[in-house]
Amino acid sequence: EHSLGIKSDGTLWAWGANDAGQLGIGTLENSASPVQVGTEADWVLVSAGAGHSLGIRSDGTLWAWGANDAGQLGIGTLENSASPVQVGTEADWVLVSAGGEHSLGIRSDGTLWAWGANDAGQLGDGTFEGSSIPVLVDSDLEWSLASAGGGHSLALIPEGDPWAWGDNTRGQLGDGTTEQKNSPVFIDELPAGEGPEVEP
């Protein structure tokens, strides 16, 4: 219920619900119009989750704010933050995605990291235990894109092959089952010409 945006000058703006500090403006007051987050003008990527926010600055550092009851900020605690706080000390983050109560991030070496809730295996580390700090997802693969859903995760390797893990009660992983997976599973692509019909 909140939104984030980066202007062409690199400033970060937020609006909407702010009950957990997900706007990052230092208060818990909602805002019906965009308000600037801090004074920095070097934001390059942001992602709004259910109640938390993630952002990468031009120096490659990763920042998080908002709800943190499941450790989804990745800062080693379960305390919310109404202002951006740095996640670890690494300065090589290139992609980040905020989900329901978990987060995903890719570093410049192609490694994929996950943190937060893991009740459905959405961290993909082979367990169902949550983590308040980033944990490595399948070190045997190099990743190029990742997206965190409500309770599941999707990712691509550079060749374009799709992988998925986490909650699958409605078949959202696309692996032909409704069983949750706590580590990445390869999703076979549909044979040519056999995709779903789309009404014009």
Side-chain angles (χ1 to χ4, degrees):
E1 298 181 348
H2 73 294
S3 302
L4 302 171
I6 299 174
K7 293 177 69 173
S8 59
D9 63 1
T11 57
L12 175 59
W13 299 75
W15 58 99
N18 195 32
D19 53 298
Q22 59 264 51
L23 297 189
I25 57 176
T27 74
L28 298 182
E29 295 179 14
N30 297 343
S31 179
S33 58
V35 288
Q36 188 173 352
V37 180
T39 58
E40 296 79 15
D42 60 352
W43 294 97
V44 296
L45 183 70
V46 288
S47 179
H52 71 295
S53 303
L54 302 170
I56 297 175
R57 292 171 61 182
S58 60
D59 62 359
T61 56
L62 175 60
W63 299 76
W65 57 98
N68 195 33
D69 51 307
Q72 59 264 52
L73 297 188
I75 58 175
T77 75
L78 299 181
E79 296 178 10
N80 295 352
S81 178
S83 299
V85 288
Q86 189 173 349
V87 179
T89 58
E90 296 79 15
D92 59 353
W93 295 96
V94 295
L95 184 140
V96 71
S97 179
E101 290 187 330
H102 77 293
S103 305
L104 300 175
I106 296 177
R107 292 171 60 182
S108 60
D109 62 359
T111 55
L112 174 61
W113 300 77
W115 56 98
N118 197 28
D119 53 301
Q122 58 264 53
L123 297 190
D125 66 345
T127 77
F128 291 100
E129 298 177 13
S131 178
S132 62
I133 59 171
V135 294
L136 187 62
V137 180
D138 200 322
S139 59
D140 292 332
L141 292 170
E142 180 181 337
W143 303 94
S144 60
L145 189 65
S147 181
H152 69 294
S153 302
L154 303 170
L156 296 177
I157 61 174
E159 294 77 13
D161 295 335
W163 297 72
W165 59 96
D167 185 21
N168 198 26
T169 53
R170 294 177 178 83
Q172 55 265 57
L173 298 188
D175 68 343
T177 77
T178 54
E179 299 172 5
Q180 61 189 18
K181 307 292 192 308
N182 63 7
S183 60
V185 293
F186 175 67
I187 308 303
D188 288 321
E189 295 184 34
L190 289 171
E194 293 186 22
E197 293 184 10
V198 179
E199 294 291 333

